[in-house]
């Protein structure tokens, strides 16, 4: 055991004999969940010491494939080879022993433990923590110097930012001797700067011979860091490319199965009168944290105002207040010349009456009642309207007529009024919510994370619909953690950090780097 | 406890409950076999006792009536994801409503009107007993399961106090009120039949059964056809979505608990206006609790609840017959069988789903990745 430990400790530079052709090879992997074929006859080959990207829309089967490689799922059929040797990866313990490490989409850290304690978890060494601790600490220091993985080992996990937590996950894997690192959508939670930092780390890992599989749905990232890339669609690998020889357009086309437009045509039009004015709004959360501090901005007809920021910097609370889900504590909101102050009644019902529609950030918890049929969800929040009811009764026929048009006009699939919304894909759920809110003819549309977990085909459609709405003169407030999205859709961008607005720019002047700096709170503009 | 989305509905709500029921009967049969009786004979006695002997159907439907009321009460609350365990207490206090109306008015007002008022009384008193836990849940966050259980005890204590000390018929030993004036009450079906020239065996079945059926239809309408029902179901499936939709959560909870309590209160019209003709101790006899199993089995749908109520009604009535016919089968044995049925079709309702899923997929599954 001792020798093994030592080897792992010091010799992190992996040098494989040159005759090894592939670090990982998956052959004919098939995995079913009931009716769903999550992976169908998948073949994948990754050369040692390279970064291999896997792209694919939601539900394409990427995570399933990686979970199979990591031993979390057992494939129905197929073989796994590591360094040309057939292996039986039947549990995560086994795969760790074989040198595979995985950083999951959702971190698996104990929030109240320190970094060191988390890294040691499941790997404590002896019965007495202290001796193991020193041993691990020394090794970690070596690792973190080697790969530029700067972390404060004494810090409590819940106190450090997400980007740091991710480094801890990577350290955890390396500490246990990982020579193959799987990262499942690692950049979803990071700021642009943190992403750059992560990629630096990945590059230095690659230099030292670690083989990396990177899952992402951001084509730009694939282009910037991977050596080779596989595209998955409908449980199959539909294409393999050398990254140099492909383009984002080609990747997108393979992901969706048809040509897609990645750029947006923004209609140029004159902005109308001011429809929303937010003045000095502050908000204290239930735990007494000041989540919003003195927020002021306004919004005109036909304008799209983007709110950029790392998730959790007050954007959600702002949406909640404007849409009436949260009460207004301090400051005032003027909607269509009607002013609301804290003492006045303000709730979702009222907000709708004022012409404020809301596509919530979490469509599954808020935007939809998942077990409801599409026709029931198509009127959620508007079910009191005369159009769908007579007296205290609902008029099912009118609702059905309405929803039939809705799913047709907004291309919600399947085009059925009587399917539970929970059975729709993320993209179609989002189209349904957006359709409902747009059909209410709002003066103001609040949109939170419109494309989170939405496939490329649907994103294209959602952007088109937002642009159409803009052309009709609706004011749109767009909150998103995707900078690309904010930059290409908005007319004007404000950046939020720790509950305050730290900067504002016209989208034509904005650069990703500037916005990124503001988002991380480094720079006030 | 979600329905599988793999197997079709006719299997999950039609076939699986029947298999569950069959299993419950098989296990019951084993017990009966072990105490030295013939299970098949026992079954036939039960079925005859519930449906065949003169008046049997009447008795069965009379029990069914109680279960419909309490089953609907539990089901409505459940549509708002509230677990109303307090049907027993709400029914009991509903009885107080009936009793008070009758005792106060029956000497002065025409019987027909008193009966109507008494029905209203049962609903209103039951509703109040639901509103209080509802209010505590909505505004104070006290868990409805705990408060409704406590309110069952409070109801029992209150009724003992009132019946022993306050509204007991003077000069009498057992804790009961005096009889309501003749003419007050809901007429029994066999008497009605006689007016119509039909000859029916005597049974306690009364007009409450018709009320129960009407209320069932009303329940369906309320839950699936009105704005209020829509809001209740939204709230039940997702409180966050309900808030997003501008639904007032606390008032919805309180109204749901009011209606739920009112439904449970209606047990009193079957028992007091239909049968006993007075208010007496312990007339609820556990119907409120059985209502939980009924709602569970009936999948919170009035038609399912009707079928489940009929089953439990038959069990009650057939069980009595079983107790009668076999010296070795006691009342407790009958309770055991009921318990098994609740176990298999309630607590273990989804036990068979994986198995059925596998069998279904084997024969009907297609693995196309559509
Ligand atoms: N544990 C599971 N049980 C049932 N179905 C699953 C499970 N995990 C994944 N799936 C299904 O398998 C398909 C592929 O999912 P996943 O591998 O998570 O896709 P991706 O990571 O590419 O978004 C989806 O249709 C998903 O619903
Ligand atoms: Mg995934």
């Amino acid at each position: 055991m001792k020798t093994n430990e030592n080897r792992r400790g010091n010799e992190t530079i992996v040098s494989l004999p040159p005759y090894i052709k592939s670090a990982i090879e998956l052959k004919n992997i098939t995995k079913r969940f009931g009716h769903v074929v999550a992976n169908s006859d998948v073949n994948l080959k990754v050369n040692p010491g390279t970064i291999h990207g896997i792209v694919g829309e939601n539900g394409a089967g990427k995570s399933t494939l990686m979970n199979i490689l990591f031993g979390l799922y057992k494939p129905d059929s197929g073989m796994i080879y590591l360094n040309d040797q057939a292996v039986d990866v039947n549990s995560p313990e086994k795969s760790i022993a074989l040198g595979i490490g995985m950083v999951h989409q959702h971190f698996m850290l104990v929030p109240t433990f320190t970094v060191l304690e988390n890294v040691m978890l499941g790997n404590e060494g002896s019965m007495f923590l202290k001796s193991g601790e020193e041993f691990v600490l020394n090794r970690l220091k070596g690792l973190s110097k080697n790969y530029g993985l700067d972390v404060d080992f004494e810090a409590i996990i819940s106190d450090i930012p997400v980007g740091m937590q991710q480094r801890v996950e990577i350290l955890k894997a390396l500490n246990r001797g990982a020579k193959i690192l799987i990262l499942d959508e690692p950049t979803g939670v990071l700021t642009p700067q943190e992403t750059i930092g992560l990629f630096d780390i990945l590059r230095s890992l690659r230099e030292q011979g670690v083989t990396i599989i990177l899952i992402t749905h951001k084509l730009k990232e694939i282009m910037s860091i991977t050596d080779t890339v596989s595209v998955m669609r409908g449980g199959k690998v539909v294409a393999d490319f050398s990254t140099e020889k492909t383009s984002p357009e080609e990747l997108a086309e393979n992901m969706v199965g048809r040509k897609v437009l990645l750029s947006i045509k923004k209609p140029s039009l004159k902005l109308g009168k001011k429809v929303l004015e937010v003045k000095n709004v502050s908000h204290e959360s239930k735990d007494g944290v000041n989540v919003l501090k003195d927020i002021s901005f306004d919004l005109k007809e036909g304008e799209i105002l983007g709110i950029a920021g790392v998730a959790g910097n007050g954007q959600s609370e702002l949406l909640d207040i404007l849409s009436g889900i949260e009460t207004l504590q301090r400051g005032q909101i003027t909607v269509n010349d009607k002013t609301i102050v804290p003492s006045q009644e303000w709730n979702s019902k009222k907000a709708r009456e004022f012409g404020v529609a809301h596509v919530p950030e979490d469509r599954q918890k808020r935007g939809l009642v998942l077990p409801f049929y599409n026709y029931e969800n198509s009127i959620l929040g508007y079910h009191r309207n005369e159009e769908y009811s007579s007296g205290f009764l609902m008029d099912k026929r009118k609702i059905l007529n309405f929803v039939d048009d809705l799913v047709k006009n907004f291309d919600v699939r399947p085009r059925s009024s009587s399917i539970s919304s929970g059975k729709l894909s993320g993209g179609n759920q989002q189209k349904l919510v957006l359709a409902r809110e747009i059909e209410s003819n709002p003066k103001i549309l609040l949109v939170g994370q419109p494309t989170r977990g939405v496939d490329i085909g649907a994103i294209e459609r959602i952007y088109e619909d937002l642009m159409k709405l803009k052309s009709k003169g609706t004011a749109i407030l767009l909150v998103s953690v995707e900078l690309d999205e904010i930059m290409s859709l908005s007319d004007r961008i404000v950046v939020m950090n720790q509950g305050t607005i730290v900067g504002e720019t016209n989208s034509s002047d904005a650069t990703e780097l500037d916005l990124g700096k503001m988002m991380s709170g480094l720079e006030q503009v | 406890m979600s329905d599988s989305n793999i197997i079709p509905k006719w299997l999950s709500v039609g076939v699986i409950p029947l298999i569950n029921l069959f299993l419950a009967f098989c296990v019951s049969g084993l017990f009966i076999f072990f105490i030295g009786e013939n299970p098949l004979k026992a079954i036939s006695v039960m079925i005859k006792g519930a449906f065949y002997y003169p008046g049997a159907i009447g008795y069965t439907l009379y029990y069914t009536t109680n279960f419909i009321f309490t089953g609907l009460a539990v089901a409505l609350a459940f549509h708002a994801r509230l677990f109303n365990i307090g049907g027993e207490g709400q029914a009991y206090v509903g009885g107080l409503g009936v009793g008070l109306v009758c005792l106060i008015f029956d000497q002065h007002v025409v019987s027909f009107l008193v009966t109507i008022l008494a029905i209203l009384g049962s609903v209103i008193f039951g509703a109040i007993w639901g509103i209080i836990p509802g209010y505590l849940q909505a505004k104070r966050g006290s868990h409805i399961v705990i408060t409704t259980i406590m309110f069952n005890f409070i109801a029992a204590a209150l009724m003992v106090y009132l019946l022993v000390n306050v509204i007991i018929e003077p000069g009498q030993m057992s804790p009961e009120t005096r009889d309501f004036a003749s003419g007050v009450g809901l007429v029994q079906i066999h008497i009605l039949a006689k007016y119509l020239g039909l000859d029916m065996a005597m049974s306690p079945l009364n007009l409450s059964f018709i009320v129960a059926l009407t209320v069932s239809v009303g329940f369906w309408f309320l839950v699936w056809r009105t704005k209020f029902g829509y809001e209740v179901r939204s709230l039940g499936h997702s409180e966050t979505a309900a808030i997003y939709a501008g639904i007032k959560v606390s008032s919805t909870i309180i109204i749901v608990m009011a209606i739920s309590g009112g439904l449970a209160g209606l047990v009193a019209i079957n028992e007091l206006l239909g049968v006993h003709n007075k208010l007496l101790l312990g007339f609820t006899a556990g119907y409120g609790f059985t209502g939980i199993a009924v709602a569970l089995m009936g999948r919170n749908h009035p038609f399912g609840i009707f079928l489940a109520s009929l089953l439990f009604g038959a069990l009650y009535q057939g069980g009595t017959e079983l107790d009668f016919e076999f010296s070795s089968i006691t009342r407790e044995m009958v309770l055991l069988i009921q318990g098994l049925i609740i176990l298999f079709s309630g607590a273990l309702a989804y036990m068979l789903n994986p198995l059925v899923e596998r069998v279904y997929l084997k024969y009907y599954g297609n693995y196309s990745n559509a």
Side-chain angles (χ1 to χ4, degrees):
Chain A
M1 205 66 239
K2 190 78 186 168
T3 54
N4 191 19
E5 290 272 292
N6 275 339
R7 209 197 59 217
R8 267 207 248 146
N10 303 329
E11 193 197 341
T12 42
I13 298 176
V14 190
S15 48
L16 288 167
Y19 52 83
I20 298 269
K21 286 195 286 296
S22 55
I24 306 158
E25 185 169 4
L26 302 175
K27 273 193 184 158
N28 308 104
I29 301 281
T30 295
K31 174 75 188 169
R32 298 188 177 98
F33 296 106
H35 271 320
V36 180
V37 187
N39 286 154
S40 151
D41 203 16
V42 171
N43 290 295
L44 187 80
K45 207 166 160 175
V46 182
N47 293 330
T50 61
I51 300 181
H52 184 87
I54 300 182
V55 285
E57 300 195 305
N58 276 293
K62 307 178 297 282
S63 297
T64 305
L65 190 65
M66 291 305 108
N67 285 332
I68 287 172
L69 177 56
F70 191 57
L72 279 166
Y73 294 152
K74 195 174 139 45
D76 296 336
S77 62
M79 290 292 291
I80 300 175
Y81 300 83
L82 295 180
N83 301 326
D84 299 345
Q85 302 281 312
V87 290
D88 182 19
V89 189
N90 48 17
S91 71
E93 289 76 36
K94 184 79 183 285
S95 77
I96 289 168
L98 286 167
I100 304 175
M102 183 157 176
V103 178
H104 292 269
Q105 206 162 346
H106 304 283
F107 302 154
M108 315 243 169
L109 298 169
V110 182
T112 51
F113 277 14
T114 64
V115 170
L116 185 61
E117 284 166 332
N118 266 289
V119 174
M120 286 180 63
L121 203 63
N123 188 26
E124 292 87 354
S126 73
M127 209 175 79
F128 301 101
L129 272 182
K130 209 68 206 169
S131 63
E133 237 171 52
E134 258 162 49
F135 179 73
V136 173
L137 192 62
N138 281 331
R139 197 160 61 188
L140 284 184
K141 282 184 179 151
L143 284 173
S144 84
K145 210 165 82 207
N146 257 340
Y147 302 115
L149 276 158
D150 285 330
V151 193
D152 172 7
F153 297 110
E154 303 303 322
I156 305 282
I157 289 294
S158 57
D159 294 343
I160 61 177
V162 192
M164 282 293 168
Q165 296 182 9
Q166 193 171 53
R167 289 181 186 188
V168 178
E169 285 281 17
I170 296 174
L171 271 176
K172 237 168 73 180
L174 294 177
N175 177 49
R176 307 188 83 182
K179 297 182 253 356
I180 293 169
L181 194 60
I182 306 168
L183 297 121
D184 194 353
E185 309 243 0
T187 59
V189 287
L190 303 183
T191 63
Q193 268 74 13
E194 284 175 320
T195 302
I196 291 170
L198 172 69
F199 284 3
D200 285 341
I201 292 165
L202 295 187
R203 283 195 191 94
S204 81
L205 285 169
R206 172 174 58 185
E207 264 163 41
Q208 314 217 24
V210 178
T211 308
I212 296 169
I213 297 185
L214 175 73
I215 296 182
T216 176
H217 61 265
K218 296 179 187 166
L219 300 174
K220 223 168 57 185
E221 295 175 357
I222 293 283
M223 299 309 295
S224 80
I225 192 170
T226 63
D227 301 301
T228 48
V229 53
S230 301
V231 184
M232 290 190 74
R233 167 156 41 96
K236 296 194 170 75
V237 169
V238 291
D240 292 294
F241 297 106
S242 159
T243 309
E244 287 172 343
K245 298 199 180 105
T246 186
S247 63
E249 286 73 22
E250 189 178 21
L251 290 175
E253 197 179 321
N254 276 291
M255 279 167 73
V256 186
R258 62 175 170 85
K259 279 219 178 309
V260 278
L261 272 179
L262 291 177
S263 60
I264 303 156
K265 276 194 246 34
K266 218 188 303 183
S268 61
L269 75 163
K270 278 188 70 157
L271 305 182
K273 67 178 177 61
K274 201 192 282 177
V275 281
L276 174 70
E277 187 176 8
V278 174
K279 236 170 146 178
N280 308 110
V281 167
S282 296
H283 196 82
E284 193 174 286
S285 74
K286 285 195 186 73
D287 326 319
V289 180
N290 289 320
V291 285
L292 289 179
K293 297 165 206 153
D294 209 20
I295 299 283
S296 302
F297 62 86
D298 49 34
L299 185 60
K300 298 198 178 73
E301 283 176 336
E303 184 182 31
I304 300 187
L305 175 65
I307 299 197
V310 180
N313 275 287
Q315 307 97 308
S316 310
E317 288 80 3
L318 180 63
L319 279 183
D320 283 355
I321 292 169
L322 293 178
S323 62
I325 288 172
E326 277 289 341
T327 51
L328 178 64
Q329 293 174 348
R330 252 169 304 154
Q332 65 177 49
I333 306 169
T334 308
V335 180
N336 280 325
D337 302 325
K338 278 170 278 191
T339 298
I340 302 110
V341 294
S343 56
Q344 270 162 319
E345 187 193 357
W346 183 241
N347 52 42
S348 307
K349 194 172 156 215
K350 196 111 196 161
R352 283 194 182 82
E353 285 163 14
F354 277 30
V356 182
H358 180 199
V359 177
E361 292 183 314
D362 192 336
R363 60 180 162 268
Q364 304 213 326
K365 279 210 183 108
R366 276 196 180 151
L368 297 168
V369 177
L370 289 181
F372 269 14
Y373 296 120
N374 278 353
Y375 76 86
E376 291 173 301
N377 269 317
S378 72
I379 55 163
L380 187 71
Y382 303 96
H383 55 279
R384 302 173 204 83
N385 292 8
E386 292 298 315
E387 299 139 70
Y388 316 119
S389 58
S390 42
F392 59 91
L393 295 183
M394 312 267 282
D395 191 329
K396 191 167 168 186
R397 211 176 27 180
K398 282 187 199 156
I399 299 171
L400 284 176
N401 283 339
F402 170 71
V403 74
D404 284 342
D405 286 345
L406 200 70
V407 297
K408 204 167 77 213
N409 295 341
F410 289 84
D411 192 29
V412 180
R413 284 179 232 188
R415 294 233 171 113
S416 161
S417 51
S418 307
I419 182 174
S420 296
S421 303
K423 291 188 179 156
L424 301 184
S425 72
N428 284 302
Q429 288 178 349
Q430 188 70 320
K431 283 192 263 181
L432 180 63
V433 175
L434 187 65
R436 177 185 71 211
E437 298 305 311
I438 288 179
E439 278 304 297
S440 74
N441 274 325
K443 297 296 284 178
I444 301 166
L445 181 69
L446 310 171
V447 190
Q449 317 298 351
T451 56
R452 180 186 280 168
V454 170
D455 41 89
I456 293 198
I459 290 177
E460 192 187 11
R461 176 71 210 221
I462 288 168
Y463 288 168
E464 270 173 35
D465 287 334
L466 287 176
M467 287 305 151
K468 239 187 268 168
L469 193 65
K470 171 186 163 71
S471 312
K472 283 203 295 187
T474 303
I476 300 175
L477 185 75
L478 171 72
V479 169
S480 174
V481 293
E482 305 283 350
L483 258 190
D484 287 345
E485 181 165 286
I486 295 265
M487 287 171 53
S488 53
L489 292 176
S490 322
D491 299 302
R492 201 153 50 90
I493 301 170
V494 299
V495 180
M496 283 185 73
N497 181 265
Q498 299 195 4
T500 54
I501 290 182
V502 291
E504 179 178 338
T505 116
N506 276 322
S507 67
S508 46
D509 310 332
T511 67
E512 189 157 336
L513 214 64
D514 290 341
L515 290 175
K517 276 187 196 149
M518 287 192 258
M519 281 162 69
S520 53
L522 292 176
E523 194 170 293
Q524 303 266 128
V525 174
Chain B
M1 285 219 305
S2 75
D3 286 351
S4 156
N5 50 22
I6 291 177
I7 50 177
K9 206 162 178 171
W10 62 268
L11 265 180
S12 66
V13 305
V15 176
I16 291 181
L18 285 180
I19 302 177
N20 281 326
L21 199 59
F22 179 72
L23 284 179
F25 275 115
C26 287
V27 178
S28 309
L30 274 181
F31 277 103
I32 290 171
F33 176 75
F34 283 136
I35 59 171
E37 298 291 347
N38 180 352
L40 290 178
K41 193 174 162 228
I43 272 279
S44 104
V45 166
M46 253 179 114
I47 292 175
K48 280 186 191 154
F51 298 107
Y52 178 71
Y53 295 137
I57 293 182
Y59 269 96
T60 297
L61 291 181
Y62 148 73
Y63 289 122
T64 301
T65 308
N66 286 336
F67 296 134
I68 291 177
F69 287 136
T70 56
L72 291 177
V74 175
L76 183 72
F78 207 78
H79 278 291
R81 182 125 346 139
L82 295 166
F83 217 167
N84 179 11
I85 313 283
E88 190 76 7
Q90 289 144 13
Y92 214 171
V93 174
L96 181 63
V98 171
L100 289 182
V101 167
C102 293
L103 296 177
I104 293 169
F105 295 114
D106 67 352
Q107 306 299 327
H108 319 289
V109 184
V110 284
S111 310
F112 175 73
L113 200 58
V114 175
T115 307
I116 298 292
L117 287 176
I119 294 175
L120 284 178
S122 75
V123 172
I124 290 168
F125 274 62
I128 291 171
W129 222 242
I131 286 174
I132 303 171
Y135 173 86
L136 291 172
Q137 169 78 61
K139 302 281 188 189
R140 294 276 173 273
S142 322
H143 203 288
I144 198 107
V145 170
I146 311 287
T147 44
T148 48
I149 290 175
M150 285 178 5
F151 267 66
N152 286 336
F153 287 107
I154 298 174
L158 176 74
M159 294 302 276
V160 169
Y161 171 78
L162 291 177
L163 277 168
V164 171
N165 300 302
V166 185
I167 48 180
I168 190 169
E169 181 176 14
Q172 123 79 55
M173 293 301 288
S174 59
E176 300 173 350
T177 64
R178 64 169 171 78
D179 283 352
F180 306 150
S182 66
V184 169
L186 291 167
V187 64
Q188 296 188 339
I189 301 289
H190 67 98
I191 295 171
L192 209 60
K194 206 180 314 167
Y195 282 126
L196 298 173
L198 296 169
D199 192 25
M200 262 177 81
M202 211 190 83
S203 79
L205 181 65
N206 60 78
L207 284 181
S208 304
F209 181 62
I210 308 294
V211 176
L213 294 184
T214 316
V215 168
S216 296
V217 176
F219 179 101
W220 177 82
F221 211 73
L222 179 75
V223 172
W224 281 282
R225 282 291 172 272
T226 66
K227 287 185 209 172
F228 176 72
Y230 179 89
E231 299 198 339
V232 169
R233 287 182 299 124
S234 304
L235 175 62
H237 288 306
S238 169
E239 182 170 339
T240 42
I243 294 170
Y244 163 81
I247 293 164
K248 292 211 171 77
V249 173
S250 46
S251 58
T252 308
I253 288 178
I254 294 171
I255 296 172
V256 163
M257 281 307 291
I259 303 176
S260 178
L263 285 166
L266 283 169
V267 166
I269 71 169
N270 190 34
E271 289 294 324
L272 307 185
L273 293 178
V275 181
H276 298 295
N277 212 31
K278 60 188 158 200
L279 176 56
L280 69 170
L281 212 59
F283 72 87
T284 49
Y287 299 124
F289 294 119
T290 311
I292 300 167
V294 168
L296 208 62
M297 250 190 111
R299 303 286 179 111
N300 302 311
H301 190 283
F303 186 65
I305 287 170
F306 174 77
L307 292 180
S309 301
L310 195 60
L311 173 71
F312 275 92
L315 272 174
Y316 257 58
Q317 174 52 22
T320 321
E321 204 62 39
L322 211 55
D323 182 9
F324 221 65
E325 196 97 340
F326 296 86
S327 55
S328 51
I329 299 181
T330 59
R331 186 80 209 139
E332 281 66 38
M333 194 68 199
V334 176
L335 285 177
L336 177 82
I337 296 173
Q338 284 167 9
L340 282 169
I341 287 182
I342 295 175
L343 187 70
F344 274 89
S345 28
L348 301 179
Y350 295 91
M351 178 179 69
L352 287 176
N353 280 28
L355 185 72
V356 174
E357 251 166 41
R358 236 174 300 145
V359 173
Y360 176 77
L361 279 179
K362 192 159 167 206
Y363 292 103
Y364 296 91
N366 62 344
Y367 285 118
S368 73
N369 193 19

